[in-house]
Every structure is written in structure tokens, then in C-alpha cells.
Amino acid sequence: MKDKNRMDQLERFFQHNPIEDPLYLKKYVKEHPDHKMAWYLLGREYAAQGKEGKAAYCFAQSGEIYEAFERQKIAFEGPLPASSSSALHKGAMTTVKSKPSGKGKWLPLMVMLFLLAVPAAMDLAKNEDTGNVPKETFAAAPAAANVPATPKQDAPSGVKLYFSNGDWGNKLQQVLSSSGSGAGESVIMGVPRSEDGKWNEWNRSVKPLISVESHGGGGGSAALKYYQSQTCSCQVADSSKLVPVIANWMHEREQAIVLQSAIQAYQKKTGTLPEKPEQLSKPYPDNLLPGLSPEMQEAFPQAVSKVNEIAKAGKAPQDPVQSADKNEQPKQELKEQAEPSSSQPKASADPLLEPLRIVIDTDKHRLALVSGDFIIRNYPVGLGGEKTPQGEFFISEKVRNPNGKSNGEFGSRGMTLSDTLYAIHGTNKPSSIGKDESHGCVRMQQADIEELYNMVTHETKVTIGKGVLPPSNPDGGNGNGGENPGVGAGGGKPDQSFGLPLQTDDSNPSKKYKWLD
């Protein structure tokens, strides 16, 4: 069967829960007699009802699926439940055991995941509008949040983090097949999709979705945990121990993409790659970043190598706005790695792969910092209506305390757009945020502009347009995805915003700025 036809069948198959809807299974196998997993599930249904003849016929039609799941000596703890999914989803954990046997040692987990988790999870992965079910993206690869770069919390013993982004089934198989026989928990995480389905809203936080906890030993037993109610009809497991771990992971990834973007900006400005971290934080007017954190300095050599690889490969960044207009997700430009985040080089920006960009929506009065189709931050801004120009720009200048003060009309930070009189800057009129009261510039609240200033560099592309960002989410979340005015990613908690040490003089008191405000 061709891959496309197979995927079409899978999508139709998972529009229903086959465990809860045996009648649909019967209809489905009639329409798709070559779908062997459907035959196998229907056979299990008949077997649970004691209809041995019908079960045998279905198992015969399922062929190698039956061979794999029934003749690999897979031992379930307790009998396989009947048709009721409530019995399957009795709790947040389901335990399976298998005898270790080469290629088949991960099959027990795959069976249970297929029977328990996949029907609900695949519905989410398709990013369809399903009423009150939030849309999540799924896949596996590795990376950090809006927490300070203070002493880093280590993950609980044996925990490995995997980031998912659209390829849930294959990545889960990779996680399971690479988990080995050692004890530990492999956590698969995801981010919500935007309401319009075009963006991954990293700013609303990365959350654990499901995990496989291996107990080690010769038996190869493992337990499934569900951390989000939409992935199962069960009581979800406690994820509190994972919250600080994932937060640190997000922060590391954000530092990585900021560092990568700064190196690429340096290369664009000078034609060469930087040799030392200090070259990224020179005094004004060459101040790409205010400074680098210790983690960024340590990751600098690997980040330079990665940027060099990108340049040699001739990979041009994809315009996320164009991608959004086409309702397509940008393809990842670097090869996803199947290893967990704990083994990733610190300079790796996965899953944030593309240089940082700024997108401003004049209809919604929002400014988003994005990498590809990931919205990393989403701030409210003040604009000037028709006075605010639309189109493509770039940051040509960054300055701290424009006109020598932090509380003037331009606030404490300013960034000129394409050497014009337009700029993104702070304001001493915070009540104008969300309104069209400027003379054309983009106004931001102080904590927001200071955080953005820390994350973007010269050469950062800026797109201003109408309807280029998704509707705001009322639940808010890190990075101010909600309707309420934002004050940095910490939502009023400066210690949770993205900060960098000041290691240069990036002020310019000799110049009188006359931005249009």
C-alpha cells in the first residue's frame, strides 16, 4: 500500500475510538480489508466476547500483526480487558511485561500504547478542531523556559526528555526501541497548536504528555503514565516533579537559539564567523547582545560549528509568515536526533532550529518572537494605525536608555528598524499599549522590551502585517499568549524572564533619537 493511502486510512481509522466502537471496526474492515491492525483489534473484541470462530477468522486476516502480538510470548499483567475502554483506562498507569527478545522486546509497550493512547493522541496530532479538546503536536527530539539561568536543577534520576513535534508514532517507536533494559522514565512532551493551526505556541509552555517508565531487570517491565487528560480517559499522573526540569530544558533551548541567531547575525554583518564569545557583545554600535550567560559561553564553540554547517549546506531560513499564510509548517532544516535531551549538545537549538524573527500583527496589536513556526514570545504592543508601516524590515541598531534615560518617551530600550525613524521601543505611556496612539513606532511595556532586547540582535528580520499572528489564547501562559497586558515572559516576575548579563556598553548618549514614537 502506498504511504499516502496508508496515512489516509489511518486518519479515518482514528476518527473513532476502535476500542469503544466495535461496530465501527466491523464497518472499517469491510471498507479496508487490508488494514491488518483493524482486523487484529476486531479479533480481540470477538475473543473477549467468547466468539472464538469469529475471532479466529479476524486473526487470520490480521496475518503478521497477530504473529507479532500473539506469538512473541507477550505476557500482560492480568487478562486483556474486554471492549470497554473504561476498563483499559482504569488509572493513569498501565503495566506490561515482555520477555526480552531482540527486535520484539519493545512490542508489548507498542501494543498497549496502540490500544490505550494512540486513538486519543492521534486525534490531537492531526490538529483538527475537536471542540473542547486542545490541539497538541507530537514527535520526539530534544531542549528550556522562562526561568532564570540560576543553579540548574537536574532531572529526577533516570528521566529522559523528548520533545514531540508532529511525528508521534515514529518518534515513540524510536524512544521505545532505544530505551534499552535500564531503569528510568522517558517523558514525551508537546506544545499546544495555535487556534488557527499554523503555529506551535512554545510561549504557552511545553508540557509532559505521556511517559514510559522502565523498571529494568530481565523482565523488561514498564509502565505508562499519562500527564494530560486529553490523552486518556483516566486520572492523570502528577507532573509536578517534571515542571522545573522542563522549565530548565526550555531555558537551555532558548539560550541556544539566541546564541545561534547572534552568531548568524555576526556572520551576516562581517562575512566571517566569530572566534570568541566576546565578539557578540561589543560596545555600541556593534552590540549584538548585552552579554552571554556562562552556559552560552560554554556552548559557543559548538554553536559556531553548527552555524558553519548550516552555511556550508546553503540552507536559507524559511519565512514563517509565508508559511503561516500557506497554512504549512516550516520543515526542520537540521536533522532531528532520536536521542533524548539529556544527551544533546548544549549548542543544539532543537526544536528551535531557525533564526529568531519578529512578527507584528497590526490588527491584534501583538508582537511575536518566533523561530520557524514556533512562537517563543507574544507581547501586546501599541501602534500607530495607518501610520505604522507594513512590510519587511530588520533591526539595524540597538541602544540602551535612548537619549540617556530609562524613563523617557522611548523607555529603557530601543531598536531601530532598517535605518529609518521607525523603531521598537519602550514607552512612558503604558496605557497606550493595545491602542493606535503612536506616530508609527511600536511601543512595548518596559519588562517586555527589555526581555526582547536581550533575545534579538542586529539583522533580526521584522515582518509587520495584518492577520499574521493567531488569535490570543485566554489562558495566557509564559510569553503572554493571553489577552492581559504582558510584562516579560515571567508575567510580572522578572526572575522568570529571559535575562543576560551586561558585559558591554550598549548605550549611546551622544545621539539624540528622534524616532516617530
Side-chain angles (χ1 to χ4, degrees), residues 284 397-416 423-428 449-450 453 506-515 517:
Y284 178 93
E397 178 186 26
K398 293 177 60 178
V399 62
R400 182 183 300 265
N401 299 334
N403 294 337
K405 49 187 176 181
S406 62
N407 58 354
E409 59 181 336
F410 302 132
S412 61
R413 305 286 189 276
M415 296 180 284
T416 303
I424 302 171
H425 57 68
T427 182
N428 57 3
I449 185 63
E450 290 181 357
Y453 185 92
D506 55 358
S507 62
N508 184 28
S510 62
K511 179 177 178 179
K512 177 65 175 179
Y513 287 88
K514 296 181 180 180
W515 293 318
D517 188 18

Side-chain angles (χ1 to χ4, degrees), residues 16 18 21 41 55 102 112 116 135 220-221 249 300 319 328 336 347 366 377 391 405 409 430 443 453 459 474 489:
H16 292 69
D21 195 354
L41 292 175
M112 294 305 291
L116 301 178
K135 289 171 278 187
S221 63
W249 177 86
F300 177 80
D319 186 338
E328 297 176 351
E336 277 191 44
R366 306 296 296 192
R377 296 289 188 273
K405 49 187 176 181
E409 59 181 336
R443 296 176 177 177
Y453 185 92
E459 306 299 328

Side-chain angles (χ1 to χ4, degrees), residues 91-122:
M93 298 175 61
T94 304
T95 304
V96 295
K97 284 188 176 180
S98 67
K99 296 182 180 181
S101 59
K103 70 174 183 178
K105 66 182 180 180
W106 52 267
L107 284 174
L109 292 175
M110 287 299 293
V111 173
M112 294 305 291
L113 285 169
F114 197 96
L115 294 176
L116 301 178
V118 172
M122 289 295 289

Side-chain angles (χ1 to χ4, degrees), residues 114-189:
F114 197 96
L115 294 176
L116 301 178
V118 172
M122 289 295 289
D123 281 340
L124 296 173
K126 290 185 297 181
N127 295 318
E128 293 181 348
D129 291 326
T130 55
N132 58 356
V133 180
K135 289 171 278 187
E136 303 278 346
T137 53
F138 292 80
N146 321 322
V147 295
T150 51
K152 182 177 170 182
Q153 281 193 350
D154 293 329
S157 178
V159 170
K160 298 178 181 179
L161 301 178
Y162 294 82
F163 182 78
S164 60
N165 183 30
D167 192 9
W168 188 84
N170 288 337
K171 292 301 181 181
L172 178 59
Q173 181 175 336
Q174 292 178 24
V175 172
L176 293 171
S177 62
S178 64
S179 59
S181 59
E185 183 176 11
S186 296
V187 180
I188 298 178
M189 307 170 293

Side-chain angles (χ1 to χ4, degrees), residues 267-290:
Q267 183 182 39
K268 186 173 182 179
K269 285 175 67 71
T270 66
T272 62
L273 289 169
E275 298 178 355
K276 299 178 181 179
E278 296 77 23
Q279 291 175 280
L280 302 179
S281 54
K282 292 182 177 181
Y284 178 93
D286 299 316
N287 51 312
L288 296 178
L289 295 174

Side-chain angles (χ1 to χ4, degrees), residues 1 6 9 28-29 31-37 39 61:
M1 184 189 304
R6 186 179 297 276
Q9 284 195 18
Y28 187 88
V29 295
E31 295 178 353
H32 305 286
D34 57 344
H35 197 290
K36 296 182 179 181
M37 178 56 78
W39 279 110
Q61 299 300 316

Side-chain angles (χ1 to χ4, degrees), residues 228-286:
Q228 301 297 323
S229 60
Q230 65 265 29
T231 61
C232 74
S233 302
C234 63
Q235 182 178 355
V236 298
D238 181 16
S239 62
S240 57
K241 71 174 184 178
L242 297 175
V243 171
V245 178
I246 294 176
N248 281 322
W249 177 86
M250 291 178 68
H251 188 70
E252 290 174 358
R253 300 278 64 78
E254 289 175 3
Q255 289 189 98
I257 192 59
V258 168
L259 178 60
Q260 174 187 313
S261 299
I263 293 171
Q264 289 172 310
Y266 182 94
Q267 183 182 39
K268 186 173 182 179
K269 285 175 67 71
T270 66
T272 62
L273 289 169
E275 298 178 355
K276 299 178 181 179
E278 296 77 23
Q279 291 175 280
L280 302 179
S281 54
K282 292 182 177 181
Y284 178 93
D286 299 316

Side-chain angles (χ1 to χ4, degrees), residues 26 31 51 71 97 194 224 257 261 275 387 427 442 455 468 492 510:
K26 293 172 64 176
E31 295 178 353
K51 301 177 180 179
R71 299 183 183 179
K97 284 188 176 180
S194 61
L224 305 182
I257 192 59
S261 299
E275 298 178 355
K387 297 177 183 178
T427 182
V442 180
M455 301 184 77
V468 292
S510 62

